[in-house]
Amino acid sequence: MRYDIAPLFCRPWTLNGITPRLIESHYENDYGGALNRLNAVTEELEALDPATTPGLVVSRLKRDEAALLNSTLLHELYFASLGGDGRRLPEEIAAAIVRDFGSVLRWRQEFIALAEALAGGSGWVLLTYIPRDGRLVNQSATDHMQSISGGIPILAIDMYEHAYHLDFGANATAYIAAVMRNIDWEAVQTRYRNALKVEPPPKLVQKQWPDLPAMTVEEVKSMLDAGQPIQIIDTRPRHYTTRAQDIMESAVWRDPERVDEWIGELSKSDPVVTFCVYGFHIGCETAETLRKAGFDARYMAGGHYAWKAKRNPVKLFE
Ligand SMILES: [Fe+2]
């Protein structure tokens, strides 16, 4: 793999309060430098035999490769973030920011605070879209390596001193204000629209029970907290319970092999929630059996361990 230099995205002579000299130096020396080092490291990696090269050598080169790759990607994003007037946010990106930050002002204050916190240090501040959650977050990355997994950055400010020293000396505050005055929001919105096309990671699907209603552990917890009537049945298999030490606080354990023996204890007027160890088969099977018998039953996704992983209360299982 050979990485090609990306042409400068913004037009330096149009920027307000940032000189072409600064952008030229940044593009040529820092972006160009990272790209050339990235190609050198890539070449080294391609030339070595991973079967015989010491692991430490491979690992060091891979770490350099990741840092340099991120540096080139983030520099390209940074140069593509500039060139607008920083003021008018197009409707769609403005609505997304209001949805996720409360207001554009609040977003702006948080973004600037993160940048100010890197003054005198180094790093990036990014506005990033996370497909899993369908939302935007601001993040600060104190080196090239801390990008959010699966996140798609759509706006970047470079807070390495080389990004501002020529024009602003050590005055990072003036530099940050200048960048904010030059954000190209149309380009940010285009990247946001592209990011929206990325599907979230596939969710766990219980293929055998496509129509069986599930509840999350959070939903079950809030029903309990609200004092709503709910019958919770732990249906972990008998062989499993012999080594189990705890049980969800509001649950009773019933043997999933003997539903006929305990089904009579349940009330048809209140909802029933069943679950097993991880939330796969047994809890689903039992919920389905109960539904066929006329109960409003559903299974708790993630089962016993999801309940515990949320630090919800358990009691001793006797
Ligand atoms: Fe830079």
Side-chain angles (χ1 to χ4, degrees), residues 93-115:
I93 187 68
I97 286 178
V98 170
R99 176 194 66 205
D100 297 335
F101 295 89
S103 67
V104 173
L105 178 66
R106 194 183 161 83
W107 166 79
R108 194 184 154 85
Q109 288 166 339
E110 186 182 275
F111 193 80
I112 291 175
L114 290 175

mmCIF file with all atom_site columns, all heavy atoms in Angstrom, residues 93-115:
data_model
loop_
_atom_site.group_PDB
_atom_site.id
_atom_site.type_symbol
_atom_site.label_atom_id
_atom_site.label_alt_id
_atom_site.label_comp_id
_atom_site.label_asym_id
_atom_site.label_entity_id
_atom_site.label_seq_id
_atom_site.pdbx_PDB_ins_code
_atom_site.Cartn_x
_atom_site.Cartn_y
_atom_site.Cartn_z
_atom_site.occupancy
_atom_site.B_iso_or_equiv
_atom_site.pdbx_formal_charge
_atom_site.auth_seq_id
_atom_site.auth_comp_id
_atom_site.auth_asym_id
_atom_site.auth_atom_id
_atom_site.pdbx_PDB_model_num
ATOM 1   N N   . ILE A 1 93  ? -27.288 19.750 10.044 1.00 0.00 ? 93  ILE A N   1
ATOM 2   C CA  . ILE A 1 93  ? -26.234 19.560 11.049 1.00 0.00 ? 93  ILE A CA  1
ATOM 3   C C   . ILE A 1 93  ? -26.576 20.359 12.306 1.00 0.00 ? 93  ILE A C   1
ATOM 4   O O   . ILE A 1 93  ? -26.319 19.917 13.434 1.00 0.00 ? 93  ILE A O   1
ATOM 5   C CB  . ILE A 1 93  ? -24.828 19.925 10.485 1.00 0.00 ? 93  ILE A CB  1
ATOM 6   C CG1 . ILE A 1 93  ? -23.729 19.570 11.487 1.00 0.00 ? 93  ILE A CG1 1
ATOM 7   C CG2 . ILE A 1 93  ? -24.717 21.382 10.093 1.00 0.00 ? 93  ILE A CG2 1
ATOM 8   C CD1 . ILE A 1 93  ? -23.548 18.096 11.715 1.00 0.00 ? 93  ILE A CD1 1
ATOM 9   N N   . ALA A 1 94  ? -27.233 21.507 12.135 1.00 0.00 ? 94  ALA A N   1
ATOM 10  C CA  . ALA A 1 94  ? -27.646 22.297 13.310 1.00 0.00 ? 94  ALA A CA  1
ATOM 11  C C   . ALA A 1 94  ? -28.641 21.486 14.146 1.00 0.00 ? 94  ALA A C   1
ATOM 12  O O   . ALA A 1 94  ? -28.513 21.409 15.373 1.00 0.00 ? 94  ALA A O   1
ATOM 13  C CB  . ALA A 1 94  ? -28.274 23.616 12.861 1.00 0.00 ? 94  ALA A CB  1
ATOM 14  N N   . ALA A 1 95  ? -29.599 20.836 13.481 1.00 0.00 ? 95  ALA A N   1
ATOM 15  C CA  . ALA A 1 95  ? -30.605 20.047 14.206 1.00 0.00 ? 95  ALA A CA  1
ATOM 16  C C   . ALA A 1 95  ? -29.937 18.878 14.931 1.00 0.00 ? 95  ALA A C   1
ATOM 17  O O   . ALA A 1 95  ? -30.299 18.546 16.066 1.00 0.00 ? 95  ALA A O   1
ATOM 18  C CB  . ALA A 1 95  ? -31.668 19.548 13.234 1.00 0.00 ? 95  ALA A CB  1
ATOM 19  N N   . ALA A 1 96  ? -28.948 18.253 14.287 1.00 0.00 ? 96  ALA A N   1
ATOM 20  C CA  . ALA A 1 96  ? -28.262 17.115 14.910 1.00 0.00 ? 96  ALA A CA  1
ATOM 21  C C   . ALA A 1 96  ? -27.489 17.573 16.152 1.00 0.00 ? 96  ALA A C   1
ATOM 22  O O   . ALA A 1 96  ? -27.466 16.887 17.177 1.00 0.00 ? 96  ALA A O   1
ATOM 23  C CB  . ALA A 1 96  ? -27.321 16.457 13.900 1.00 0.00 ? 96  ALA A CB  1
ATOM 24  N N   . ILE A 1 97  ? -26.868 18.736 16.057 1.00 0.00 ? 97  ILE A N   1
ATOM 25  C CA  . ILE A 1 97  ? -26.107 19.259 17.199 1.00 0.00 ? 97  ILE A CA  1
ATOM 26  C C   . ILE A 1 97  ? -27.043 19.636 18.344 1.00 0.00 ? 97  ILE A C   1
ATOM 27  O O   . ILE A 1 97  ? -26.771 19.325 19.513 1.00 0.00 ? 97  ILE A O   1
ATOM 28  C CB  . ILE A 1 97  ? -25.216 20.444 16.746 1.00 0.00 ? 97  ILE A CB  1
ATOM 29  C CG1 . ILE A 1 97  ? -24.033 19.885 15.950 1.00 0.00 ? 97  ILE A CG1 1
ATOM 30  C CG2 . ILE A 1 97  ? -24.744 21.278 17.932 1.00 0.00 ? 97  ILE A CG2 1
ATOM 31  C CD1 . ILE A 1 97  ? -23.088 20.912 15.393 1.00 0.00 ? 97  ILE A CD1 1
ATOM 32  N N   . VAL A 1 98  ? -28.170 20.244 18.019 1.00 0.00 ? 98  VAL A N   1
ATOM 33  C CA  . VAL A 1 98  ? -29.151 20.590 19.065 1.00 0.00 ? 98  VAL A CA  1
ATOM 34  C C   . VAL A 1 98  ? -29.660 19.307 19.730 1.00 0.00 ? 98  VAL A C   1
ATOM 35  O O   . VAL A 1 98  ? -29.770 19.225 20.956 1.00 0.00 ? 98  VAL A O   1
ATOM 36  C CB  . VAL A 1 98  ? -30.321 21.420 18.471 1.00 0.00 ? 98  VAL A CB  1
ATOM 37  C CG1 . VAL A 1 98  ? -31.448 21.561 19.488 1.00 0.00 ? 98  VAL A CG1 1
ATOM 38  C CG2 . VAL A 1 98  ? -29.815 22.789 18.025 1.00 0.00 ? 98  VAL A CG2 1
ATOM 39  N N   . ARG A 1 99  ? -29.937 18.280 18.911 1.00 0.00 ? 99  ARG A N   1
ATOM 40  C CA  . ARG A 1 99  ? -30.425 16.998 19.447 1.00 0.00 ? 99  ARG A CA  1
ATOM 41  C C   . ARG A 1 99  ? -29.427 16.420 20.450 1.00 0.00 ? 99  ARG A C   1
ATOM 42  O O   . ARG A 1 99  ? -29.798 15.940 21.516 1.00 0.00 ? 99  ARG A O   1
ATOM 43  C CB  . ARG A 1 99  ? -30.627 16.022 18.274 1.00 0.00 ? 99  ARG A CB  1
ATOM 44  C CG  . ARG A 1 99  ? -31.052 14.600 18.662 1.00 0.00 ? 99  ARG A CG  1
ATOM 45  C CD  . ARG A 1 99  ? -30.882 13.656 17.469 1.00 0.00 ? 99  ARG A CD  1
ATOM 46  N NE  . ARG A 1 99  ? -29.457 13.520 17.131 1.00 0.00 ? 99  ARG A NE  1
ATOM 47  C CZ  . ARG A 1 99  ? -29.010 13.182 15.920 1.00 0.00 ? 99  ARG A CZ  1
ATOM 48  N NH1 . ARG A 1 99  ? -29.856 12.951 14.924 1.00 0.00 ? 99  ARG A NH1 1
ATOM 49  N NH2 . ARG A 1 99  ? -27.718 13.067 15.694 1.00 0.00 ? 99  ARG A NH2 1
ATOM 50  N N   . ASP A 1 100 ? -28.143 16.466 20.128 1.00 0.00 ? 100 ASP A N   1
ATOM 51  C CA  . ASP A 1 100 ? -27.149 15.736 20.920 1.00 0.00 ? 100 ASP A CA  1
ATOM 52  C C   . ASP A 1 100 ? -26.431 16.574 21.977 1.00 0.00 ? 100 ASP A C   1
ATOM 53  O O   . ASP A 1 100 ? -25.792 16.020 22.872 1.00 0.00 ? 100 ASP A O   1
ATOM 54  C CB  . ASP A 1 100 ? -26.123 15.084 19.983 1.00 0.00 ? 100 ASP A CB  1
ATOM 55  C CG  . ASP A 1 100 ? -26.788 14.052 19.089 1.00 0.00 ? 100 ASP A CG  1
ATOM 56  O OD1 . ASP A 1 100 ? -27.841 13.515 19.487 1.00 0.00 ? 100 ASP A OD1 1
ATOM 57  O OD2 . ASP A 1 100 ? -26.287 13.791 17.979 1.00 0.00 ? 100 ASP A OD2 1
ATOM 58  N N   . PHE A 1 101 ? -26.524 17.902 21.855 1.00 0.00 ? 101 PHE A N   1
ATOM 59  C CA  . PHE A 1 101 ? -25.815 18.747 22.831 1.00 0.00 ? 101 PHE A CA  1
ATOM 60  C C   . PHE A 1 101 ? -26.747 19.716 23.553 1.00 0.00 ? 101 PHE A C   1
ATOM 61  O O   . PHE A 1 101 ? -26.303 20.429 24.442 1.00 0.00 ? 101 PHE A O   1
ATOM 62  C CB  . PHE A 1 101 ? -24.700 19.544 22.135 1.00 0.00 ? 101 PHE A CB  1
ATOM 63  C CG  . PHE A 1 101 ? -23.602 18.683 21.577 1.00 0.00 ? 101 PHE A CG  1
ATOM 64  C CD1 . PHE A 1 101 ? -23.674 18.175 20.292 1.00 0.00 ? 101 PHE A CD1 1
ATOM 65  C CD2 . PHE A 1 101 ? -22.493 18.364 22.351 1.00 0.00 ? 101 PHE A CD2 1
ATOM 66  C CE1 . PHE A 1 101 ? -22.667 17.371 19.770 1.00 0.00 ? 101 PHE A CE1 1
ATOM 67  C CE2 . PHE A 1 101 ? -21.477 17.559 21.845 1.00 0.00 ? 101 PHE A CE2 1
ATOM 68  C CZ  . PHE A 1 101 ? -21.568 17.060 20.549 1.00 0.00 ? 101 PHE A CZ  1
ATOM 69  N N   . GLY A 1 102 ? -28.003 19.768 23.140 1.00 0.00 ? 102 GLY A N   1
ATOM 70  C CA  . GLY A 1 102 ? -28.942 20.695 23.778 1.00 0.00 ? 102 GLY A CA  1
ATOM 71  C C   . GLY A 1 102 ? -29.084 21.994 23.001 1.00 0.00 ? 102 GLY A C   1
ATOM 72  O O   . GLY A 1 102 ? -30.178 22.482 22.783 1.00 0.00 ? 102 GLY A O   1
ATOM 73  N N   . SER A 1 103 ? -27.955 22.550 22.571 1.00 0.00 ? 103 SER A N   1
ATOM 74  C CA  . SER A 1 103 ? -27.989 23.758 21.734 1.00 0.00 ? 103 SER A CA  1
ATOM 75  C C   . SER A 1 103 ? -26.643 23.874 21.020 1.00 0.00 ? 103 SER A C   1
ATOM 76  O O   . SER A 1 103 ? -25.651 23.263 21.427 1.00 0.00 ? 103 SER A O   1
ATOM 77  C CB  . SER A 1 103 ? -28.231 25.010 22.578 1.00 0.00 ? 103 SER A CB  1
ATOM 78  O OG  . SER A 1 103 ? -27.110 25.247 23.416 1.00 0.00 ? 103 SER A OG  1
ATOM 79  N N   . VAL A 1 104 ? -26.621 24.703 19.959 1.00 0.00 ? 104 VAL A N   1
ATOM 80  C CA  . VAL A 1 104 ? -25.361 24.928 19.242 1.00 0.00 ? 104 VAL A CA  1
ATOM 81  C C   . VAL A 1 104 ? -24.375 25.643 20.169 1.00 0.00 ? 104 VAL A C   1
ATOM 82  O O   . VAL A 1 104 ? -23.182 25.329 20.181 1.00 0.00 ? 104 VAL A O   1
ATOM 83  C CB  . VAL A 1 104 ? -25.611 25.746 17.947 1.00 0.00 ? 104 VAL A CB  1
ATOM 84  C CG1 . VAL A 1 104 ? -24.284 26.123 17.286 1.00 0.00 ? 104 VAL A CG1 1
ATOM 85  C CG2 . VAL A 1 104 ? -26.469 24.956 16.969 1.00 0.00 ? 104 VAL A CG2 1
ATOM 86  N N   . LEU A 1 105 ? -24.888 26.534 20.989 1.00 0.00 ? 105 LEU A N   1
ATOM 87  C CA  . LEU A 1 105 ? -24.023 27.271 21.916 1.00 0.00 ? 105 LEU A CA  1
ATOM 88  C C   . LEU A 1 105 ? -23.312 26.316 22.882 1.00 0.00 ? 105 LEU A C   1
ATOM 89  O O   . LEU A 1 105 ? -22.110 26.404 23.111 1.00 0.00 ? 105 LEU A O   1
ATOM 90  C CB  . LEU A 1 105 ? -24.860 28.302 22.700 1.00 0.00 ? 105 LEU A CB  1
ATOM 91  C CG  . LEU A 1 105 ? -24.072 29.104 23.738 1.00 0.00 ? 105 LEU A CG  1
ATOM 92  C CD1 . LEU A 1 105 ? -23.035 30.003 23.061 1.00 0.00 ? 105 LEU A CD1 1
ATOM 93  C CD2 . LEU A 1 105 ? -25.009 29.948 24.621 1.00 0.00 ? 105 LEU A CD2 1
ATOM 94  N N   . ARG A 1 106 ? -24.102 25.386 23.419 1.00 0.00 ? 106 ARG A N   1
ATOM 95  C CA  . ARG A 1 106 ? -23.526 24.422 24.377 1.00 0.00 ? 106 ARG A CA  1
ATOM 96  C C   . ARG A 1 106 ? -22.472 23.549 23.690 1.00 0.00 ? 106 ARG A C   1
ATOM 97  O O   . ARG A 1 106 ? -21.417 23.260 24.246 1.00 0.00 ? 106 ARG A O   1
ATOM 98  C CB  . ARG A 1 106 ? -24.646 23.569 24.968 1.00 0.00 ? 106 ARG A CB  1
ATOM 99  C CG  . ARG A 1 106 ? -24.198 22.796 26.183 1.00 0.00 ? 106 ARG A CG  1
ATOM 100 C CD  . ARG A 1 106 ? -25.310 21.897 26.717 1.00 0.00 ? 106 ARG A CD  1
ATOM 101 N NE  . ARG A 1 106 ? -24.728 20.881 27.567 1.00 0.00 ? 106 ARG A NE  1
ATOM 102 C CZ  . ARG A 1 106 ? -24.421 21.075 28.855 1.00 0.00 ? 106 ARG A CZ  1
ATOM 103 N NH1 . ARG A 1 106 ? -24.695 22.206 29.433 1.00 0.00 ? 106 ARG A NH1 1
ATOM 104 N NH2 . ARG A 1 106 ? -23.860 20.112 29.549 1.00 0.00 ? 106 ARG A NH2 1
ATOM 105 N N   . TRP A 1 107 ? -22.786 23.125 22.449 1.00 0.00 ? 107 TRP A N   1
ATOM 106 C CA  . TRP A 1 107 ? -21.796 22.342 21.706 1.00 0.00 ? 107 TRP A CA  1
ATOM 107 C C   . TRP A 1 107 ? -20.507 23.130 21.570 1.00 0.00 ? 107 TRP A C   1
ATOM 108 O O   . TRP A 1 107 ? -19.401 22.637 21.808 1.00 0.00 ? 107 TRP A O   1
ATOM 109 C CB  . TRP A 1 107 ? -22.316 21.985 20.288 1.00 0.00 ? 107 TRP A CB  1
ATOM 110 C CG  . TRP A 1 107 ? -21.173 21.499 19.463 1.00 0.00 ? 107 TRP A CG  1
ATOM 111 C CD1 . TRP A 1 107 ? -20.619 20.257 19.496 1.00 0.00 ? 107 TRP A CD1 1
ATOM 112 C CD2 . TRP A 1 107 ? -20.358 22.297 18.587 1.00 0.00 ? 107 TRP A CD2 1
ATOM 113 N NE1 . TRP A 1 107 ? -19.500 20.219 18.686 1.00 0.00 ? 107 TRP A NE1 1
ATOM 114 C CE2 . TRP A 1 107 ? -19.330 21.452 18.119 1.00 0.00 ? 107 TRP A CE2 1
ATOM 115 C CE3 . TRP A 1 107 ? -20.401 23.624 18.148 1.00 0.00 ? 107 TRP A CE3 1
ATOM 116 C CZ2 . TRP A 1 107 ? -18.351 21.909 17.226 1.00 0.00 ? 107 TRP A CZ2 1
ATOM 117 C CZ3 . TRP A 1 107 ? -19.423 24.071 17.272 1.00 0.00 ? 107 TRP A CZ3 1
ATOM 118 C CH2 . TRP A 1 107 ? -18.409 23.219 16.823 1.00 0.00 ? 107 TRP A CH2 1
ATOM 119 N N   . ARG A 1 108 ? -20.668 24.402 21.147 1.00 0.00 ? 108 ARG A N   1
ATOM 120 C CA  . ARG A 1 108 ? -19.535 25.274 20.871 1.00 0.00 ? 108 ARG A CA  1
ATOM 121 C C   . ARG A 1 108 ? -18.690 25.496 22.131 1.00 0.00 ? 108 ARG A C   1
ATOM 122 O O   . ARG A 1 108 ? -17.459 25.421 22.091 1.00 0.00 ? 108 ARG A O   1
ATOM 123 C CB  . ARG A 1 108 ? -20.125 26.608 20.373 1.00 0.00 ? 108 ARG A CB  1
ATOM 124 C CG  . ARG A 1 108 ? -19.174 27.532 19.742 1.00 0.00 ? 108 ARG A CG  1
ATOM 125 C CD  . ARG A 1 108 ? -19.908 28.839 19.393 1.00 0.00 ? 108 ARG A CD  1
ATOM 126 N NE  . ARG A 1 108 ? -18.935 29.901 19.366 1.00 0.00 ? 108 ARG A NE  1
ATOM 127 C CZ  . ARG A 1 108 ? -18.193 30.188 18.296 1.00 0.00 ? 108 ARG A CZ  1
ATOM 128 N NH1 . ARG A 1 108 ? -18.384 29.530 17.187 1.00 0.00 ? 108 ARG A NH1 1
ATOM 129 N NH2 . ARG A 1 108 ? -17.274 31.124 18.351 1.00 0.00 ? 108 ARG A NH2 1
ATOM 130 N N   . GLN A 1 109 ? -19.388 25.717 23.256 1.00 0.00 ? 109 GLN A N   1
ATOM 131 C CA  . GLN A 1 109 ? -18.663 25.943 24.510 1.00 0.00 ? 109 GLN A CA  1
ATOM 132 C C   . GLN A 1 109 ? -17.856 24.711 24.904 1.00 0.00 ? 109 GLN A C   1
ATOM 133 O O   . GLN A 1 109 ? -16.715 24.806 25.350 1.00 0.00 ? 109 GLN A O   1
ATOM 134 C CB  . GLN A 1 109 ? -19.648 26.334 25.628 1.00 0.00 ? 109 GLN A CB  1
ATOM 135 C CG  . GLN A 1 109 ? -20.186 27.740 25.444 1.00 0.00 ? 109 GLN A CG  1
ATOM 136 C CD  . GLN A 1 109 ? -21.394 28.044 26.327 1.00 0.00 ? 109 GLN A CD  1
ATOM 137 O OE1 . GLN A 1 109 ? -22.076 27.123 26.788 1.00 0.00 ? 109 GLN A OE1 1
ATOM 138 N NE2 . GLN A 1 109 ? -21.671 29.316 26.545 1.00 0.00 ? 109 GLN A NE2 1
ATOM 139 N N   . GLU A 1 110 ? -18.468 23.528 24.730 1.00 0.00 ? 110 GLU A N   1
ATOM 140 C CA  . GLU A 1 110 ? -17.751 22.293 25.098 1.00 0.00 ? 110 GLU A CA  1
ATOM 141 C C   . GLU A 1 110 ? -16.562 22.062 24.167 1.00 0.00 ? 110 GLU A C   1
ATOM 142 O O   . GLU A 1 110 ? -15.460 21.717 24.604 1.00 0.00 ? 110 GLU A O   1
ATOM 143 C CB  . GLU A 1 110 ? -18.708 21.095 25.040 1.00 0.00 ? 110 GLU A CB  1
ATOM 144 C CG  . GLU A 1 110 ? -18.060 19.812 25.551 1.00 0.00 ? 110 GLU A CG  1
ATOM 145 C CD  . GLU A 1 110 ? -18.983 18.600 25.442 1.00 0.00 ? 110 GLU A CD  1
ATOM 146 O OE1 . GLU A 1 110 ? -19.783 18.398 26.360 1.00 0.00 ? 110 GLU A OE1 1
ATOM 147 O OE2 . GLU A 1 110 ? -18.888 17.871 24.432 1.00 0.00 ? 110 GLU A OE2 1
ATOM 148 N N   . PHE A 1 111 ? -16.783 22.272 22.857 1.00 0.00 ? 111 PHE A N   1
ATOM 149 C CA  . PHE A 1 111 ? -15.731 22.063 21.857 1.00 0.00 ? 111 PHE A CA  1
ATOM 150 C C   . PHE A 1 111 ? -14.545 22.992 22.136 1.00 0.00 ? 111 PHE A C   1
ATOM 151 O O   . PHE A 1 111 ? -13.388 22.566 22.150 1.00 0.00 ? 111 PHE A O   1
ATOM 152 C CB  . PHE A 1 111 ? -16.319 22.324 20.462 1.00 0.00 ? 111 PHE A CB  1
ATOM 153 C CG  . PHE A 1 111 ? -15.461 21.865 19.323 1.00 0.00 ? 111 PHE A CG  1
ATOM 154 C CD1 . PHE A 1 111 ? -15.445 20.526 18.948 1.00 0.00 ? 111 PHE A CD1 1
ATOM 155 C CD2 . PHE A 1 111 ? -14.685 22.770 18.602 1.00 0.00 ? 111 PHE A CD2 1
ATOM 156 C CE1 . PHE A 1 111 ? -14.652 20.092 17.884 1.00 0.00 ? 111 PHE A CE1 1
ATOM 157 C CE2 . PHE A 1 111 ? -13.892 22.343 17.540 1.00 0.00 ? 111 PHE A CE2 1
ATOM 158 C CZ  . PHE A 1 111 ? -13.886 21.002 17.180 1.00 0.00 ? 111 PHE A CZ  1
ATOM 159 N N   . ILE A 1 112 ? -14.856 24.258 22.415 1.00 0.00 ? 112 ILE A N   1
ATOM 160 C CA  . ILE A 1 112 ? -13.795 25.238 22.691 1.00 0.00 ? 112 ILE A CA  1
ATOM 161 C C   . ILE A 1 112 ? -13.079 24.903 24.011 1.00 0.00 ? 112 ILE A C   1
ATOM 162 O O   . ILE A 1 112 ? -11.850 24.988 24.096 1.00 0.00 ? 112 ILE A O   1
ATOM 163 C CB  . ILE A 1 112 ? -14.372 26.675 22.713 1.00 0.00 ? 112 ILE A CB  1
ATOM 164 C CG1 . ILE A 1 112 ? -14.784 27.077 21.284 1.00 0.00 ? 112 ILE A CG1 1
ATOM 165 C CG2 . ILE A 1 112 ? -13.376 27.679 23.290 1.00 0.00 ? 112 ILE A CG2 1
ATOM 166 C CD1 . ILE A 1 112 ? -15.487 28.415 21.168 1.00 0.00 ? 112 ILE A CD1 1
ATOM 167 N N   . ALA A 1 113 ? -13.852 24.472 25.016 1.00 0.00 ? 113 ALA A N   1
ATOM 168 C CA  . ALA A 1 113 ? -13.229 24.125 26.309 1.00 0.00 ? 113 ALA A CA  1
ATOM 169 C C   . ALA A 1 113 ? -12.229 22.971 26.127 1.00 0.00 ? 113 ALA A C   1
ATOM 170 O O   . ALA A 1 113 ? -11.136 22.984 26.708 1.00 0.00 ? 113 ALA A O   1
ATOM 171 C CB  . ALA A 1 113 ? -14.305 23.736 27.319 1.00 0.00 ? 113 ALA A CB  1
ATOM 172 N N   . LEU A 1 114 ? -12.603 21.996 25.302 1.00 0.00 ? 114 LEU A N   1
ATOM 173 C CA  . LEU A 1 114 ? -11.689 20.867 25.053 1.00 0.00 ? 114 LEU A CA  1
ATOM 174 C C   . LEU A 1 114 ? -10.423 21.349 24.350 1.00 0.00 ? 114 LEU A C   1
ATOM 175 O O   . LEU A 1 114 ? -9.317  20.905 24.663 1.00 0.00 ? 114 LEU A O   1
ATOM 176 C CB  . LEU A 1 114 ? -12.381 19.792 24.208 1.00 0.00 ? 114 LEU A CB  1
ATOM 177 C CG  . LEU A 1 114 ? -13.503 19.008 24.893 1.00 0.00 ? 114 LEU A CG  1
ATOM 178 C CD1 . LEU A 1 114 ? -14.172 18.058 23.903 1.00 0.00 ? 114 LEU A CD1 1
ATOM 179 C CD2 . LEU A 1 114 ? -12.954 18.216 26.068 1.00 0.00 ? 114 LEU A CD2 1
ATOM 180 N N   . ALA A 1 115 ? -10.591 22.262 23.389 1.00 0.00 ? 115 ALA A N   1
ATOM 181 C CA  . ALA A 1 115 ? -9.430  22.789 22.663 1.00 0.00 ? 115 ALA A CA  1
ATOM 182 C C   . ALA A 1 115 ? -8.541  23.610 23.611 1.00 0.00 ? 115 ALA A C   1
ATOM 183 O O   . ALA A 1 115 ? -7.319  23.441 23.630 1.00 0.00 ? 115 ALA A O   1
ATOM 184 C CB  . ALA A 1 115 ? -9.895  23.628 21.477 1.00 0.00 ? 115 ALA A CB  1
#
